[in-house]
Amino acid sequence: MSLKVLVVNSGSSSIKFELYQMPEEKVEARGLLQRIGEPGSELKCRIGNEELVVARSVPDHAVGLKLIMDTLTDSANGGLKDISEIGAVGHRVVHGGSAFSETVLIDDEVLKAIEERSALAPLHNPPNLLGIEVARQLLPNVPQVAVFDTAFHQTMPDYAYAYAIPWELNEQDHIRRYGFHGTSHRYVAARAARLLGRLPSETNLITCHLGNGCSITAIRRGASVDTSMGLTPLEGLVMGTRSGDIDPALFTHLARTKGLGVKEIDTLLNKKSGLLGLSGLSNDVRTLLAASKEGHGGAVRALAIYAYRIKKYIGAYTAALGTVHALVFTAGVGENSPAIRERSLDQMAPLGYRLDKAKNEQAVRREMDIAEASSPIRILVIPTNEELLIAQDTYRLAAKA
Ligand code: ADP
């Protein structure tokens, strides 16, 4: 069955989209609308081979999605003849809580369940919901599908997802680890199994998603059994501006000794920490690598802490899995930075991670095995493609519907 699938990722002030021709998996258009509700809103997109920029006031997501549809169907842009050519819409939804362990067709009950999880992801779920509501109004007779960042990690056992706090908080208040970036971990895990020539159900992996946000997942026989992000995307690895793991008593300590309030501490840990906070320079790994070559102390320190945290988690997940067939690096840093990959695997040969330095240097934004031929564990670079996985899931469910 031939179908055009629109993939929508609604953020708090942006909408990212891709239009796929399925099942060929051909990208016909993609774009990003930024600064919704702010001065200077702008839609940048590519339709076929044409690049275009539409600068227009976009007060809210409804106007934003309408602008995207109008741009896609404007005959001058050579995209769609009519909006009715779109056969299904796939939405990225950040938090599905424990309610969703897989991709689902959206109905009123699903919408209600996503809304109920908004307290767990106040910055993400409300704009995701808004995107779904607007798309349903614009395309009322088209299957709409929700793909959750948390769904892949629902297979974690309780000893991995539970915090050691009173159990009622887990059961009644749903305070536990959920994990994020599930679509990316699932995508690269499937690619890795193919590259290894193994069935996913017979493959153990550690997947490192290193972008602005960073997370690492232990996958046993194709299922997530542990991941570094928790109740929120703050836990785990050091990220661009997020601290990752800290002593939770830091919160009370900062409140007591510095007189900081909840909001200030939240901003400090989410927006002013990580690589940016440590270096005092930037959250961008490229900038920090360049500065550390020039001897910038903050950059040297930030990258050392960043890589050490990754290494520690790889060690922990190697222990969690026992047998690891491959370690995968993905996302902006993982796909592009030989230096960070090398530093994260420093002195890891005794654990089975033997990096081929020449191959590591060659692997930039392409699928490649960068382990030495004799390495007991393969080390793979695999560019992630969350939008493609959303399109595939959406196509599968829409075809059934
Ligand atoms: P997001 O989480 O926003 O999707 P990305 O996956 O695009 O982010 O990753 C962004 C990060 O990738 C930035 O920290 C950037 O520094 C890093 N990055 C991109 N290209 C390179 C490169 N060539 N070398 C090192 N880091 C890179």
Side-chain angles (χ1 to χ4, degrees), residues 16 92 181 209-214 239-240 242 275 282-289 306 330-340 364-365 384 386:
K16 211 169 154 189
R92 176 191 180 205
H181 291 145
H209 177 109
L210 308 176
N212 269 316
C214 302
M239 314 184 207
R242 286 174 245 166
L275 292 172
S282 172
N283 61 331
D284 193 308
V285 169
R286 280 166 295 198
T287 308
L288 296 177
L289 284 167
Y306 178 84
T330 193
V333 182
E335 292 164 24
N336 291 296
S337 179
I340 295 296
V364 174
R365 203 164 284 173
T384 193
E386 293 158 275

Side-chain angles (χ1 to χ4, degrees), residues 345-382:
L345 292 173
D346 184 39
Q347 321 244 5
M348 294 281 268
L351 265 66
Y353 299 96
R354 293 201 200 130
L355 185 70
D356 181 317
K357 290 189 181 173
K359 285 187 186 154
N360 182 36
E361 292 297 326
Q362 289 163 18
V364 174
R365 203 164 284 173
R366 61 174 168 137
E367 283 185 356
M368 208 170 143
D369 184 337
I370 56 172
E372 283 178 5
S374 63
S375 178
I377 301 174
R378 307 318 304 161
I379 306 167
L380 307 173
V381 174
I382 301 181

Side-chain angles (χ1 to χ4, degrees), residues 124-390:
H124 293 102
N125 274 25
N128 296 162
L129 267 175
L130 213 54
I132 295 173
E133 277 159 9
V134 176
R136 282 179 109 201
Q137 281 159 19
L138 291 172
L139 297 162
N141 300 317
V142 156
Q144 311 257 345
V145 165
V147 183
F148 299 91
D149 276 23
T150 47
F152 182 58
H153 303 299
Q154 277 298 300
T155 44
M156 277 194 284
D158 59 2
Y159 57 77
Y161 73 63
Y163 293 116
I165 55 176
W167 187 245
E168 309 85 77
L169 286 172
N170 186 316
E171 281 193 325
Q172 284 155 29
D173 299 281
H174 313 293
I175 296 174
R176 45 157 285 182
R177 308 180 59 257
Y178 289 98
F180 298 87
H181 291 145
T183 314
S184 177
H185 290 291
R186 178 156 70 99
Y187 176 82
V188 297
R191 286 298 312 163
R194 279 191 94 159
L195 292 176
L196 297 171
R198 305 181 66 93
L199 288 172
S201 59
E202 291 172 0
T203 310
N204 287 4
L205 299 165
I206 298 174
T207 50
C208 303
H209 177 109
L210 308 176
N212 269 316
C214 302
S215 68
I216 176 165
T217 296
I219 298 170
R220 179 180 289 127
R221 299 172 189 268
S224 170
V225 291
D226 205 347
T227 192
S228 58
M229 284 178 165
L231 175 73
T232 76
L234 182 58
E235 192 179 343
L237 300 176
V238 175
M239 314 184 207
T241 62
R242 286 174 245 166
S243 64
D245 294 338
I246 49 158
D247 180 343
L250 191 65
F251 209 96
T252 34
H253 182 76
L254 286 172
R256 266 198 233 111
T257 59
K258 302 249 176 226
L260 299 185
V262 170
K263 223 173 156 192
E264 287 164 301
I265 300 175
D266 198 49
T267 305
L268 182 129
L269 295 175
N270 277 294
K271 303 254 164 76
K272 297 183 182 172
S273 295
L275 292 172
L276 176 66
L278 287 168
S279 67
L281 180 68
S282 172
N283 61 331
D284 193 308
V285 169
R286 280 166 295 198
T287 308
L288 296 177
L289 284 167
S292 69
K293 275 199 188 130
E294 306 291 319
H296 186 286
V300 171
R301 174 176 56 229
L303 292 175
I305 297 168
Y306 178 84
Y308 179 68
R309 184 81 54 88
I310 298 167
K311 174 179 151 123
K312 234 167 52 163
Y313 266 95
I314 294 171
Y317 287 175
T318 304
L321 291 172
T323 300
V324 182
H325 298 110
L327 168 72
V328 182
F329 286 102
T330 193
V333 182
E335 292 164 24
N336 291 296
S337 179
I340 295 296
R341 294 192 296 249
E342 185 176 339
R343 295 181 66 169
S344 306
L345 292 173
D346 184 39
Q347 321 244 5
M348 294 281 268
L351 265 66
Y353 299 96
R354 293 201 200 130
L355 185 70
D356 181 317
K357 290 189 181 173
K359 285 187 186 154
N360 182 36
E361 292 297 326
Q362 289 163 18
V364 174
R365 203 164 284 173
R366 61 174 168 137
E367 283 185 356
M368 208 170 143
D369 184 337
I370 56 172
E372 283 178 5
S374 63
S375 178
I377 301 174
R378 307 318 304 161
I379 306 167
L380 307 173
V381 174
I382 301 181
T384 193
N385 196 339
E386 293 158 275
E387 287 76 18
L388 175 58
L389 190 58
I390 295 174

